[in-house]
Amino acid sequence: MNRQLATASGRIAAILVLAILALEPASNAFAAQPAGHASGMGGSAEGLFVAEIVLLLLVGRGLGEIFQRYGQPAIMGQLIGGILLGPSLFGWIWPDAQHLIFSSDPAQKGMIDAISQLGILLLLLLTGMETDLRLVRRVGAACFSISITGVVVPFACGFALAQFLPDSLLPDPRQRIVAGLFLGTALSISSVKIVAMVVREMNFMRRKLGQVIISSAIIEDTIGWLIIAITFGIATNGSLQVLPLITTVAEVALFMVLSLTIGRRLVFTLIRWSNDSFRSEYAVITVILIIMGVMAMMTNLIGVHTVLGAFVAGILVGESPILSDHIESQLRGVITALFMPVFFGMAGLSADLTVLADPTLALLTLALVAIASVGKFGGAFLGGRLAGMSLKEATAVGSAMNARGSTEVIVASIGLSMNILSHNLFTMIVTMAVITTLAMPPMLRWALGRLPVEHAEKQRVDRELLDERGFVSGLQRLLLLVDDSPVGKFTAYLAGLVGGGSGMPT
């Protein structure tokens, strides 16, 4: 293990050195420009923008690859890459180059921030597409018990903690309630992507406990984005007012109802129409992005954050029966290759770990990690026990729900952009997200490894795996040529059995 850690550390150092050396000629060229030229007209502004993108991609993807090889989420590598490129390391070792490449000039910073903000929407679109509501409906009531206690307990802990934070950690101490809502949400949401990674790796995806864990994370994620939408409305009003709060809740509820009824049918129709009618390349992806943008603007118009619209759009797109794996992989490719490293890298750049040299802030960060871990584990564990799970099963559920990762970083980034969270508090939340996320995979692997599969469940899992290997699972649409003869009627009956249950277009 020590040898592996030493090898990983060496690789990380090599990536950073190579990235800095690769961009040193560009840095010298920009430094030679006259004052103000780098952010003014000409090629320097665009050159700095490209240098920022290249550095974030090189370091973020490189560290992500190393982290993934050692059983950790690649997202954490991208986030830590951003932290290392910020004032925590790069700015500490070579401040002139760091300030030059990641300029604080508003025009220059606006270029990379625009990519980062678009990345948030695309990440939420992808998260929504991975949200399988059919799995939630199939598993049953256990996941609802886990989700409710798994959200309420850590949310209450985070909200209470915000009321005792020093005024220096809040940009506006008068908005302590709103800061508490952000902190409570950051402590209560689980990252579906990271939970699913470990559950899939341990071959628990088809087992009932694995499906309960994934379903609980899906519900918590959905509840969290609804809370963020409402919190955004409260923050926009400047204070907690009863009538605007009721109006915001009602508007969010109406948006969700319309989206999951009329909106679902409309999205299905648009995707099918674009797939059948357009001859140009990637027409379906363009329509998906338009749907995301329109729904994001709708949530913005009702006074809540655009992330809710993007997330709901992803849910509807993911449930479309015409959406092929090929189309989904194309969309996932550009998001994973470009927008994820840029967004998480920029989030890491906003965190300054050097502030943790202050003993008070370091102790507060440790307290935040402890409260987040105990609150989340305890809440999910309690929900599992209330649902009738054994001690080992509830322990596995509590371990799984303690993964935060990408979701908390997005929540904290929104709070920072709205001036609800200070940079120091943002750094504390990012540190908490990194520590709890890196601790979750080994904890969950240990907990799941203590749960042997029963004979009846093994038979069901083997049967489902055999069905998945058949030709039916690969079908996307059925095309039938039938008449009114007995053979034609029997063919139509078989088609109904094959495609009817999954809503397959026929």
Side-chain angles (χ1 to χ4, degrees):
M1 179 62 69
N2 292 334
R3 182 179 298 176
Q4 290 178 338
L5 290 174
T7 303
S9 301
R11 290 176 177 174
I12 292 172
I15 288 174
L16 288 173
V17 170
L18 287 174
I20 293 173
L21 289 177
L23 289 176
E24 184 177 6
S27 300
N28 294 333
F30 291 130
Q33 297 288 344
H37 186 70
S39 59
M41 301 300 293
S44 296
E46 290 78 5
L48 279 177
F49 172 69
V50 173
E52 291 171 342
I53 295 291
V54 169
L55 199 54
L56 290 170
L57 292 180
L58 182 61
V59 176
R61 294 289 287 178
L63 292 184
E65 179 68 20
I66 293 174
F67 272 64
Q68 196 161 0
R69 292 190 180 194
Y70 287 91
Q72 292 289 350
I75 293 174
M76 286 296 99
Q78 297 166 11
L79 178 62
I80 292 175
I83 293 174
L84 298 179
L85 288 174
S88 304
L89 182 65
F90 187 24
W92 177 58
I93 296 175
W94 194 2
D96 292 339
Q98 202 273 342
H99 293 155
L100 179 65
I101 296 176
F102 298 101
S103 173
S104 59
D105 179 74
Q108 187 69 43
K109 196 171 184 298
M111 297 172 69
I112 192 70
D113 282 345
I115 301 294
S116 179
Q117 292 303 311
L118 180 59
I120 292 179
L121 296 182
L122 291 172
L123 280 171
L124 267 296
L125 173 70
L126 189 59
T127 302
M129 292 173 64
E130 295 171 343
T131 301
D132 189 356
L133 296 182
R134 290 170 294 186
L135 177 63
V136 175
R137 291 191 290 265
R138 186 167 67 246
V139 168
C143 56
F144 289 97
S145 171
I146 296 168
S147 302
I148 292 172
T149 56
V151 169
V152 171
V153 174
F155 184 89
C157 292
F159 185 84
L161 177 62
Q163 310 313 309
F164 296 98
L165 288 175
D167 290 347
S168 58
L169 286 177
L170 300 175
D172 186 356
R174 294 172 299 178
Q175 291 191 336
R176 193 174 289 271
I177 292 179
V178 181
L181 294 175
F182 269 100
L183 188 58
T185 306
L187 266 61
S188 60
I189 305 182
S190 298
S191 177
V192 180
K193 185 186 294 293
I194 295 173
V195 171
M197 178 195 76
V198 181
V199 171
R200 187 180 294 110
E201 174 193 317
M202 297 293 292
N203 293 321
F204 263 75
M205 190 61 78
R206 293 188 177 278
R207 292 180 59 175
K208 184 176 180 181
L209 179 62
Q211 294 179 349
V212 168
I213 289 174
I214 299 297
S215 300
S216 302
I218 288 172
I219 295 174
E220 289 186 9
D221 218 30
T222 306
I223 293 173
W225 293 119
L226 291 174
I227 295 174
I228 281 297
I230 295 171
T231 302
F232 183 86
I234 296 173
T236 303
N237 293 325
S239 61
L240 182 59
Q241 302 174 12
V242 177
L243 185 58
L245 176 60
I246 294 175
T247 303
T248 300
V249 172
E251 289 174 340
V252 170
L254 181 62
F255 171 77
M256 293 297 296
V257 170
L258 292 177
S259 297
L260 297 176
T261 52
I262 300 173
R264 173 185 274 113
R265 188 174 298 275
L266 182 59
V267 168
F268 291 0
T269 303
L270 286 173
I271 293 178
R272 182 183 303 173
W273 169 74
S274 61
N275 185 72
D276 296 344
S277 303
F278 285 84
R279 296 186 179 181
S280 56
E281 293 183 320
Y282 312 118
V284 176
I285 292 181
T286 301
V287 170
I288 291 173
L289 295 177
I290 292 173
I291 291 171
M292 179 200 74
V294 170
M295 297 191 71
M297 287 190 294
M298 289 173 62
T299 53
N300 186 65
L301 288 175
I302 64 176
V304 298
H305 203 278
T306 52
V307 293
L308 178 63
F311 178 69
V312 176
I315 293 176
L316 301 183
V317 170
E319 290 190 340
S320 174
I322 199 63
L323 187 69
S324 66
D325 293 338
H326 179 63
I327 294 173
E328 184 177 354
S329 65
Q330 288 175 333
L331 186 59
R332 184 188 304 275
V334 68
I335 296 173
T336 304
L338 175 61
F339 290 99
M340 281 177 59
V342 171
F343 168 72
F344 287 111
M346 290 300 296
L349 279 167
S350 300
D352 184 3
L353 297 187
T354 59
V355 302
L356 300 183
D358 183 346
T360 302
L361 287 179
L363 289 175
L364 285 173
T365 303
L366 290 176
L368 179 63
V369 173
I371 291 172
S373 301
V374 173
K376 190 63 181 176
F377 179 89
F381 180 86
L382 176 62
R385 295 293 285 171
L386 291 175
M389 290 185 172
S390 66
L391 188 65
K392 291 183 178 179
E393 290 174 333
T395 301
V397 170
S399 301
M401 294 300 106
N402 207 26
R404 289 175 172 83
S406 57
T407 311
E408 273 63 26
V409 175
I410 296 174
V411 172
S413 298
I414 294 172
L416 182 64
S417 65
M418 295 180 63
N419 203 35
I420 300 298
L421 305 179
S422 65
H423 277 85
N424 287 350
L425 185 54
F426 174 83
T427 299
M428 292 167 58
I429 294 175
V430 169
T431 304
M432 176 272 295
V434 170
I435 293 175
T436 55
T437 303
L438 294 180
M440 189 282 284
M443 284 180 57
L444 183 56
R445 292 186 186 105
W446 169 79
L448 292 179
R450 301 167 65 224
L451 296 168
V453 60
E454 297 179 356
H455 179 68
E457 188 172 31
K458 187 177 186 304
Q459 286 184 322
R460 177 184 61 80
V461 170
D462 292 342
R463 184 175 63 253
E464 290 180 357
L465 186 61
L466 183 63
D467 291 341
E468 189 180 65
R469 292 174 179 173
F471 79 98
V472 174
S473 62
L475 292 178
Q476 297 173 9
R477 285 193 288 186
L478 290 176
L479 179 62
L480 299 179
L481 181 62
V482 299
D483 54 20
D484 199 32
S485 66
V487 174
K489 291 180 179 179
F490 182 67
T491 303
Y493 173 74
L494 288 179
L497 292 178
V498 171
S502 60
M504 187 183 304
T506 304

